[in-house]
Amino acid sequence: MDSLPSELLCKIIGYITEQKDRKSLCEVSKGFSTFATPFLYNSITLNTAESDLGFLDVKAFSEGLQSGPRSRLRHVRHLHIVSPFRKRLECRCIHWYDYFGEDSSEDAEVEESEDDTAGNRPKKPKKSNHWDLEHSLMSLLGQLEDNKMLSFSWDLGICIPSKLLGENGILTKTQRLIESLSLTTGGIDEHNIEGSYLPDLSQLKCLRSLSWKAIKTAEEFYALQVSLFLNSEHLSALELDLVDLPAVQTNWRAEALTIEYWQSRPEDNFIASVVLNLTPGKSFIMFPVLQVLRLSEVPFSFAATEMASALNLTNLSSSKLHGCPNSLELLDSVTKAHQHMRLTSFELVTDEYNEGSISNFLEAFTGLEELYLLLLGFGSQIREDYWPSIQHHKSSLKRLVYDKESDHPLHRFVLFNHTTQTGSTHGSVNDAVMGLPLVECIGISDSGSLLKSRLEITAPKLSWKVLHIRWRRAENLSWCGRSNDPSSESLASHTVAGGSFTSWRPMSQYVPGDLHNFAIWAFGPTGLPKLRILASGDFSHKGRYDDCNFLLCRRSQAQPDTDSESEPDYESEPDTDPEIITITSLRRPYRVMKKEDWSLWDGIEGGFAMLEACPTDPLFEAYN
């Protein structure tokens, strides 16, 4: 290895993606450490617990990285500060501690109130506060080389201190070449110290990717407006999530009139008129190189045509629209423009209906590789069949989610809810799925028994590798909560095939009877011959509902049945729902996926990301 040129050695090390492998390489010798250390510290992620968002232990981490006179942190180019969004979904603000003080009687009331669990009033952190978090980060950021950081993520759901990203913040002053910025803030609440946590993005003029979730206040929207104006010419990816549009609009109307630079009447669509500074009736391209657009709860009302032009929708390669009012008007504007579209990925979650809007949009172009549709509130009032429009992309479509609300009492969403003239769904189902020969990953909302009956004829000819049976956690509470089973194993954390989690958690060894029976068929000799992974549940928000999720994989004939005995029959676990099957007492063609099975995702492009598509719940709800 000593004879290899340094450029070639660095290129080889660059192919190593696992941090543990990079760390091991650094420990081989001083020579290897010299080349591998920059890769090891190129990207670091700091995690905080939801129960104590103000606590971030970086002291031991940063002090242990000294290498001679210079810190190894000089190699950091990507810094991510993250927290899960699983339980603390209302108020994540840590200013309760700052505002009330440690010995406050009101503070004690907050700690002891039984209403906390009902979400009526959130608990404050017990161990630390915003000042602790700020101090910890300042000690770490001070060791980074100036203007070397390329990306920064603050995904905690709390306001970001001005000492980090304010007018004189350390990032604002020393890391002005950041190209990718991700913020999940949650807004400023009544217990914040006025003016102390207002972000200033005016010095970050090299952004190519900007993501901001849970924007709440007029001041934050002003910071967003400035950033979009400064970076519009070179911004290639934009994500905005307002989380709760009615609450945001209320705050806007209350605050906008008090802000000196926005003393005008509240606009019908302040995103269009103020943040994007669009003029009714005038269209122009604001983002000429924008490729990726993800919008949640962003309104298009009164400005669909102007926003379609400003956002350069016909030039996008990927677009996500989640719960955006008047999003179908936006699609109509794009369709009527009769311009060539370059979309390869499209995701739509909507409860609106306008006959022809979705089908006309899908038929206006070709080339989609990913199509994710969640159509809420449609029920029996809609008889429009979107399969012909979906099949318009049959020569390219590889991943599909198609959920349309059903009147079925047991299943809120179904994939196939239309029938033939004879009253049978089988003919239309077979035609639909056989008309999409390249689809490898598909998301379906239906019961296993119904799905089996509908797919039996065409199953041997299908090329599905990943099948996701979708449902919402709230609709399956009868057998949720199984994470209390200490003997179980589950996936809540891995980075694979486009999806990422933060920790490994248990998954139950019990599956619902309907899913068990379907898996027996799907992985069996008459089922889906290419199926690798059968997923069931709600995988949105990076493992929030993992206590109710299942990931099953095929058991090969050569593989020993290590987690079952030789009993030929299955039996229900004592004192459990008879619909729950004990899979430890059954020889079967499938098994529960384990940590070492993640290689099954290899070669399945975008498979795991498909599981997270089309969430039905917001990231979190800000406490007002």
Side-chain angles (χ1 to χ4, degrees):
M1 297 292 287
D2 293 338
S3 61
L4 287 177
S6 58
E7 295 82 0
L8 180 58
L9 185 57
C10 287
K11 189 171 184 178
I12 294 173
I13 296 175
Y15 285 106
I16 301 174
T17 58
E18 293 290 336
Q19 286 291 83
K20 60 181 180 64
D21 295 332
R22 291 173 175 174
K23 183 176 183 297
S24 298
L25 193 58
C26 289
E27 297 170 347
V28 171
S29 66
K30 290 184 177 179
F32 271 110
S33 180
T34 300
F35 291 103
T37 295
F39 290 92
L40 179 62
Y41 295 104
N42 178 268
S43 177
I44 61 176
T45 299
L46 305 175
N47 296 282
T48 67
E50 285 188 284
S51 58
D52 192 6
L53 291 167
F55 179 72
L56 191 66
D57 187 10
V58 301
K59 183 177 180 180
F61 174 74
S62 59
E63 289 182 349
L65 294 177
Q66 298 298 324
S67 178
R70 304 180 68 190
S71 168
R72 296 181 187 177
L73 288 175
R74 71 183 188 275
H75 300 299
V76 173
R77 300 294 179 266
H78 310 276
L79 176 60
H80 309 289
I81 305 169
V82 301
S83 171
F85 288 80
R86 296 196 181 107
K87 296 181 179 179
R88 195 172 178 180
L89 303 179
E90 288 199 15
C91 178
R92 295 170 67 91
C93 176
I94 59 177
H95 289 108
W96 289 95
Y97 187 99
D98 299 338
Y99 183 79
F100 289 123
E102 185 173 3
D103 299 325
S104 168
S105 59
E106 186 174 359
D107 179 63
E109 180 183 347
V110 173
E111 287 286 358
E112 298 173 2
S113 172
E114 294 181 358
D115 289 340
D116 289 346
T117 57
N120 295 333
R121 194 173 190 183
K123 290 185 179 181
K124 73 170 185 63
K126 297 179 180 180
K127 299 180 181 179
S128 56
N129 60 22
H130 210 287
W131 307 113
D132 297 330
L133 179 63
E134 184 179 276
H135 178 74
S136 298
L137 287 171
M138 292 296 289
S139 66
L140 183 145
L141 293 171
Q143 300 184 54
L144 305 185
E145 283 194 352
D146 289 356
N147 294 318
K148 294 295 184 180
M149 188 185 297
L150 298 177
S151 69
F152 176 74
S153 300
W154 176 273
D155 293 323
L156 300 183
I158 61 177
C159 48
I160 184 168
S162 290
K163 286 188 178 180
L164 269 66
L165 202 59
E167 184 176 359
N168 296 306
I170 187 170
L171 292 177
T172 308
K173 295 170 61 177
T174 66
Q175 301 295 339
R176 297 185 177 185
L177 300 183
I178 289 176
E179 296 181 357
S180 177
L181 180 65
S182 175
L183 303 175
T184 306
T185 51
I188 303 167
D189 65 28
E190 59 183 315
H191 303 298
N192 193 355
I193 299 176
E194 185 175 359
S196 296
Y197 299 94
L198 302 179
D200 181 1
L201 310 183
S202 62
Q203 300 303 315
L204 303 181
K205 303 177 182 180
C206 298
L207 293 180
R208 298 185 181 278
S209 175
L210 174 61
S211 172
W212 200 338
K213 300 176 183 177
I215 316 173
K216 183 178 179 182
T217 69
E219 291 281 3
E220 290 175 325
F221 280 110
Y222 173 68
L224 173 63
Q225 178 202 46
V226 172
S227 182
L228 292 178
F229 174 77
L230 293 173
N231 295 282
S232 61
E233 292 295 324
H234 47 263
L235 197 68
S236 61
L238 175 62
E239 179 176 23
L240 300 176
D241 186 349
L242 305 191
V243 177
D244 186 353
L245 179 58
V248 169
Q249 290 175 322
T250 300
N251 288 332
W252 167 261
R253 294 187 179 101
E255 295 181 33
L257 295 179
T258 67
I259 298 177
E260 182 178 351
Y261 40 78
W262 280 343
Q263 285 186 351
S264 61
R265 75 184 196 284
E267 301 287 347
D268 293 322
N269 187 337
F270 66 93
I271 297 294
S273 60
V274 178
V275 177
L276 298 179
N277 198 26
L278 303 181
T279 302
K282 295 184 179 181
S283 299
F284 70 99
I285 296 176
M286 183 175 180
F287 304 99
V289 298
L290 193 65
Q291 294 290 307
V292 178
L293 179 66
R294 302 184 182 96
L295 302 178
S296 297
E297 297 278 335
V298 174
F300 298 109
S301 50
F302 306 104
T305 301
E306 292 83 355
M307 293 181 73
S309 178
L311 296 170
N312 202 10
L313 261 61
T314 58
N315 192 55
L316 298 178
S317 61
S318 176
S319 176
K320 294 183 180 181
L321 305 175
H322 289 179
C324 297
N326 299 93
S327 57
L328 299 189
E329 290 185 22
L330 183 80
L331 298 187
D332 288 337
S333 297
V334 175
T335 303
K336 293 175 182 177
H338 299 292
Q339 296 182 11
H340 175 68
M341 283 185 279
R342 299 175 175 84
L343 273 182
T344 59
S345 176
F346 180 62
E347 182 171 332
L348 176 66
V349 177
T350 183
D351 60 359
E352 301 174 341
Y353 176 67
N354 185 17
E355 187 173 359
S357 293
I358 297 175
S359 56
N360 290 339
F361 174 77
L362 292 177
E363 294 173 15
F365 66 104
T366 58
L368 277 179
E369 297 179 6
E370 299 176 338
L371 176 59
Y372 306 138
L373 298 176
L374 175 54
L375 311 178
L376 302 169
F378 280 23
S380 59
Q381 64 178 338
I382 293 177
R383 299 303 180 189
E384 188 172 358
D385 179 13
Y386 293 109
W387 277 112
S389 304
I390 295 173
Q391 290 174 351
H392 191 67
H393 298 269
K394 63 181 180 181
S395 61
S396 58
L397 195 62
K398 299 177 182 178
R399 293 168 290 281
L400 172 66
V401 171
Y402 181 26
D403 275 4
K404 189 161 68 171
E405 190 170 80
S406 170
D407 293 327
H408 195 287
L410 298 179
H411 316 292
R412 183 174 183 184
F413 310 112
V414 297
L415 177 66
F416 309 112
N417 64 349
H418 55 282
T419 61
T420 62
Q421 292 180 351
T422 62
S424 170
T425 64
H426 292 190
S428 56
V429 167
N430 294 331
D431 294 341
V433 297
M434 288 305 295
L436 301 169
L438 300 183
V439 169
E440 293 183 342
C441 308
I442 189 166
I444 298 174
S445 292
D446 212 340
S447 70
S449 57
L450 291 176
L451 189 58
K452 175 187 173 184
S453 67
R454 292 168 174 172
L455 294 177
E456 281 182 313
I457 298 176
T458 56
K461 299 179 181 179
L462 296 177
S463 57
W464 297 353
K465 295 180 180 179
V466 178
L467 170 57
H468 179 198
I469 299 179
R470 297 165 51 92
W471 44 257
R472 296 182 62 184
R473 178 185 185 275
E475 296 166 353
N476 293 271
L477 293 177
S478 61
W479 43 272
C480 283
R482 55 193 174 81
S483 58
N484 296 326
D485 177 8
S487 65
S488 57
E489 257 189 20
S490 165
L491 329 156
S493 146
H494 233 38
T495 299
V496 53
S500 63
F501 285 135
T502 55
S503 62
W504 179 268
R505 298 212 318 265
M507 174 176 280
S508 177
Q509 292 295 302
Y510 304 103
V511 296
D514 185 72
L515 177 61
H516 163 78
N517 293 330
F518 179 79
I520 291 289
W521 170 79
F523 288 109
T526 62
L528 300 165
K530 296 185 178 181
L531 188 65
R532 292 191 196 178
I533 297 168
L534 174 60
S536 178
D538 185 342
F539 291 83
S540 62
H541 304 307
K542 293 181 168 51
R544 176 181 296 177
Y545 306 118
D546 271 358
D547 58 341
C548 301
N549 291 343
F550 297 90
L551 284 173
L552 310 178
C553 62
R554 186 181 300 275
R555 183 192 302 279
S556 65
Q557 293 182 353
Q559 191 172 28
D561 198 355
T562 56
D563 53 14
S564 67
E565 300 297 332
S566 58
E567 291 92 334
D569 300 320
Y570 67 81
E571 59 185 9
S572 297
E573 184 72 5
D575 301 324
T576 63
D577 190 323
E579 289 288 316
I580 305 297
I581 304 300
T582 308
I583 65 176
T584 55
S585 61
L586 169 69
R587 284 196 175 277
R588 61 204 183 281
Y590 75 90
R591 57 188 175 84
V592 173
M593 283 186 68
K594 299 181 179 180
K595 190 173 183 179
E596 55 268 25
D597 295 322
W598 280 93
S599 59
L600 291 173
W601 291 103
D602 294 346
I604 306 178
E605 182 182 359
F608 197 90
M610 182 203 70
L611 301 186
E612 298 181 297
C614 297
T616 56
D617 299 320
L619 180 63
F620 69 97
E621 298 178 3
Y623 181 81
N624 295 310

